Amino acid sequence: MEPSTWRTYLVTQASIAEDRSTPEVVRAAIEGGIDAVQLREKETNARSRYELGLELRELTAEAGVDLIVNDRVDIAEAINADGVHVGQSDLPVSVARDLLGPEAIVGCSASTVEEARRAEADGADYLGVGSVYGTTSKDVPEAENGIGPERIAEVVKSVSIPVVGIGGTTAGNAGPVAEAGAAGVAVISEIAAADDPAAATDALARTVETAKDLERRE
């Protein structure tokens, strides 16, 4: 799949999934119609992340879902993931591209128009822009926390690559993010911590698709 077609994007984090394993959450998200999965699990060591990645690769490949690895280009290559997602303090987009090749999907986090334009110029295929509504899943500088759908719209207008909104997004507030021009939304707790991850994924997808329909008609 192309990032422009991603409506729902799950970022994994076992620590908030209660008694469910990451593969169980991913399997349920696939059942609910997830478009892309990012292996994050930063609290685990490289060996554990690699072994988990192999399991997720099998699940996602069978379902035709894109698998992206957060930060670790070496793990992405080792498990034959579809790509990697890097932040502003990780390996540069251009280096990740050189290491993984032209066919890999390389995403980059951005919170400003300047960062977004630089990532696109360096060869990013898509942007993860946020934190849209604020997040507690990771430490984010105050200036980058809760940037709102307005910043999403600014970034979308400044680049030609797809934008995925992330940070505090839920089925209840994803609509304005999609209406601002984002291809879709990325979530952690909305799916991983849900009582029913499959139903949560489906609800999120419906919200985004409804908003995209409104955007197309305007």
Side-chain angles (χ1 to χ4, degrees):
M1 296 175 66
E2 294 291 328
S4 61
T5 68
W6 294 345
R7 298 295 181 256
T8 55
Y9 183 134
L10 169 64
V11 181
T12 70
Q13 186 171 328
S15 62
I16 63 170
E18 298 187 5
D19 59 347
R20 286 185 296 264
S21 68
T22 292
E24 287 173 329
V25 172
V26 169
R27 193 175 289 109
I30 289 172
E31 180 185 336
I34 203 75
D35 296 312
V37 173
Q38 182 187 126
L39 171 61
R40 188 166 176 256
E41 310 296 353
K42 287 201 171 188
E43 65 275 11
T44 63
N45 60 43
R47 179 64 174 267
S48 296
R49 216 178 311 177
Y50 163 72
E51 292 175 348
L52 174 59
L54 289 175
E55 192 170 353
L56 298 189
R57 174 70 290 183
E58 185 175 349
L59 289 172
T60 54
E62 183 178 344
V65 169
D66 288 322
L67 178 62
I68 306 297
V69 175
N70 181 280
D71 180 18
R72 296 294 298 264
V73 174
D74 55 341
I75 294 177
E77 186 172 27
I79 67 171
N80 195 31
D82 295 292
V84 68
H85 186 95
V86 296
Q88 293 295 313
S89 60
D90 297 326
L91 280 177
V93 168
S94 58
V95 174
R97 170 70 64 208
D98 288 343
L99 291 171
L100 292 178
E103 299 303 316
I105 298 171
V106 179
C108 185
S109 296
S111 59
T112 66
V113 168
E114 180 183 7
E115 289 176 350
R117 286 175 171 162
R118 184 168 60 246
E120 181 180 31
D122 287 346
D125 294 300
Y126 77 92
L127 300 169
V129 179
S131 171
V132 181
Y133 295 112
T135 182
T136 58
S137 298
K138 62 178 182 176
D139 292 330
V140 176
E142 186 175 345
E144 301 173 10
N145 210 18
I147 60 174
E150 299 80 13
R151 182 73 58 79
I152 295 290
E154 292 173 7
V155 171
V156 168
K157 291 175 183 176
S158 72
V159 298
S160 60
I161 56 177
V163 168
V164 175
I166 186 170
T169 48
T170 68
N173 62 25
V177 181
E179 289 171 13
V185 296
V187 301
I188 301 176
S189 58
E190 177 72 355
I191 293 175
D195 291 335
D196 185 339
T201 303
D202 179 67
L204 187 66
R206 289 174 185 272
T207 297
V208 173
E209 200 53 56
T210 297
K212 299 299 286 185
D213 285 342
L214 288 173
E215 180 197 15
R216 284 189 287 265
R217 288 201 293 266
E218 289 179 353

